[in-house]
Amino acid sequence: MAQEVLTYIAPSPGKTYIDMTFGAGGHATKLLEHSPNIKIFALDRDPLGFECAKQLSQRYPGQVIPLLGKFSELPQLLEPYNIKENSIDGILFDFGCSSMQFDTASRGFSLSKDGPLDMRMDGFRCPKQLTAANVLERATEEDLTRIIKVYGQEKRAKKIARAIIDSRYMFKKLETTKELAQLIESTLDGEIRRDSLGRFSHSATKTFQALRIFVNNELNEINYGILLAQIYLKLSGCLITISFHSLEDTIVKRHISGNITDNVANTVALKYAHYGKTFDKDEFERLTKIPWKMMHKHVLIPTAEEIETNPRSRSAKLRAIMKVK
């Protein structure tokens, strides 16, 4: 949805933007081509995305600043550049996995490519972080059920969790994407599923989504990231979010309405990293009262032509919102 991003973020010379999910740099490149005299802070938690940002920075020296880290690490990453509150013109989030991650079998994100059950968006940057295989090996049946049901919105979560527990005693531990996909497929008796567009969907898709979200703490990171966007954006600055499933979009909608405290994130964990403290009660209430204004009436979805050329975009939902008083 590159054209929609350009339309609403409206890049112009001298302005500063943050691409919170740089990936391969598709959106950032479009912004720079449209208006070369801008500055972009290119954030990605994946070292591969960081390398792509460094390559783009060589083409646009002084205009693209690569940053390696999660949304929650943004304040300390911006500190060396003396970025103040209310100073950024636009911020872009493109949630979920990048095509690079899906296309690399060794990352463990894809059902169609056999590889280790890793799923860490940070790669080996955080060696102590649990992998999907670690979760499947150590979690209780109750915890697995909750993870798969809540993060994957999987109706057969209990049955899948039971099968995973049983597998621990029947054969070696689950270590590859193929092993997990085959286990779920056999557990659900080859159940045929289709997505909202009527396309075939593998029976393990929702479980893979759930494990990925859990391993990467994605929902808390999204919640925190949007809080930081409120802090760094100028008045009338534009925030664009592109989400790919309802859990991501729900968080965005809650921020628009000012309701972010219900079952989304642990407020104690929302550390204001730049100052080394948690959000106190008054500050948190102030942030939740800052209203956002939608820049379009209804959520935007990709055109049929874009879906045809990029099938992965079919579930995308774009929201462009403006920071107002």
Side-chain angles (χ1 to χ4, degrees):
M1 304 187 75
Q3 185 54 53
E4 290 85 351
V5 169
L6 283 174
T7 297
Y8 286 100
I9 213 164
S12 58
K15 292 192 174 182
T16 301
Y17 304 94
I18 302 177
D19 185 344
M20 298 285 278
T21 45
F22 182 81
H27 285 113
T29 301
K30 290 289 185 183
L31 293 173
L32 288 160
E33 289 174 349
H34 185 274
S35 185
N37 298 316
I38 61 173
K39 179 179 287 187
I40 298 179
F41 286 93
L43 176 72
D44 205 296
R45 64 190 293 178
D46 190 330
L48 183 58
F50 180 62
E51 289 301 317
C52 290
K54 289 199 291 186
Q55 291 175 18
L56 189 64
S57 71
Q58 293 173 1
R59 290 171 50 194
Y60 295 91
Q63 292 179 257
V64 176
I65 298 91
L67 302 174
L68 176 61
K70 298 178 287 189
F71 300 158
S72 55
E73 296 172 312
L74 180 66
Q76 59 262 44
L77 292 172
L78 289 178
E79 189 170 8
Y81 302 97
N82 197 31
I83 300 300
K84 305 297 185 183
E85 296 181 8
N86 307 304
S87 66
I88 300 297
D89 296 285
I91 294 179
L92 168 67
F93 290 91
D94 189 356
F95 302 128
C97 286
S98 69
S99 293
M100 293 188 302
Q101 292 167 331
F102 274 123
D103 291 340
T104 306
S106 61
R107 303 300 299 274
F109 291 105
S110 176
L111 275 162
S112 61
K113 299 180 184 296
D114 192 26
L117 278 166
D118 192 315
M119 298 194 188
R120 293 173 298 178
M121 289 182 172
D122 300 276
F124 295 102
R125 186 173 73 92
C126 304
K128 293 183 179 180
Q129 182 184 355
L130 290 176
T131 66
N134 295 147
V135 175
L136 295 174
E137 180 185 9
R138 304 176 191 179
T140 65
E141 181 177 350
E142 181 182 2
D143 286 339
L144 283 172
T145 300
R146 186 181 301 112
I147 290 169
I148 297 169
K149 183 177 181 179
V150 174
Y151 296 138
Q153 300 175 303
E154 171 60 72
K155 294 180 181 178
R156 309 289 290 279
K158 190 171 184 179
K159 188 172 184 178
I160 294 171
R162 179 70 258 169
I164 292 170
I165 297 297
D166 287 344
S167 73
R168 294 177 183 173
Y169 306 100
M170 294 172 61
F171 53 86
K172 68 174 185 176
K173 62 184 180 181
L174 295 165
E175 294 183 318
T176 71
T177 55
K178 184 177 180 180
E179 289 171 349
L180 178 59
Q182 290 179 339
L183 174 65
I184 295 172
E185 192 172 28
S186 62
T187 299
L188 301 184
D189 302 317
E191 179 180 306
I192 297 177
R193 296 182 173 185
R194 299 190 180 277
D195 63 19
S196 58
L197 297 176
R199 304 187 187 200
F200 171 76
S201 177
H202 196 285
S203 54
T205 298
K206 292 184 176 181
T207 301
F208 270 63
Q209 171 187 298
L211 288 170
R212 189 202 82 211
I213 291 173
F214 180 78
V215 165
N216 296 289
N217 193 27
E218 289 181 43
L219 301 189
N220 277 326
E221 282 293 320
I222 291 172
N223 198 55
Y224 195 166
I226 300 177
L227 282 175
L228 290 174
Q230 291 184 10
I231 291 170
Y232 285 110
L233 275 177
K234 292 179 179 178
L235 193 63
S236 299
C238 176
L239 170 64
I240 293 180
T241 66
I242 303 174
S243 58
F244 291 86
H245 58 74
S246 61
L247 294 176
E248 296 168 345
D249 193 48
T250 294
I251 294 176
V252 177
K253 289 188 291 187
R254 285 182 172 180
H255 276 271
I256 294 171
S257 66
N259 173 26
I260 64 171
T261 58
D262 295 339
N263 304 316
V264 176
N266 178 358
T267 59
V268 176
L270 295 173
K271 292 183 178 180
Y272 206 170
H274 183 61
Y275 299 103
K277 67 176 183 179
T278 58
F279 288 105
D280 60 37
K281 183 178 179 181
D282 290 340
E283 187 175 27
F284 197 78
E285 288 181 354
R286 176 180 66 82
L287 286 169
T288 59
K289 288 180 180 178
I290 295 178
W292 295 99
K293 179 182 179 182
M294 286 284 289
M295 299 173 71
H296 46 88
K297 188 173 182 180
H298 302 293
V299 66
L300 303 180
I301 59 175
T303 62
E305 291 76 17
E306 180 169 359
I307 294 173
E308 186 66 30
T309 57
N310 179 20
R312 288 176 178 167
S313 71
R314 63 185 181 270
S315 57
K317 292 182 178 179
L318 185 147
R319 294 181 185 274
I321 55 180
M322 182 187 298
K323 180 179 174 181
V324 296
K325 287 185 179 180

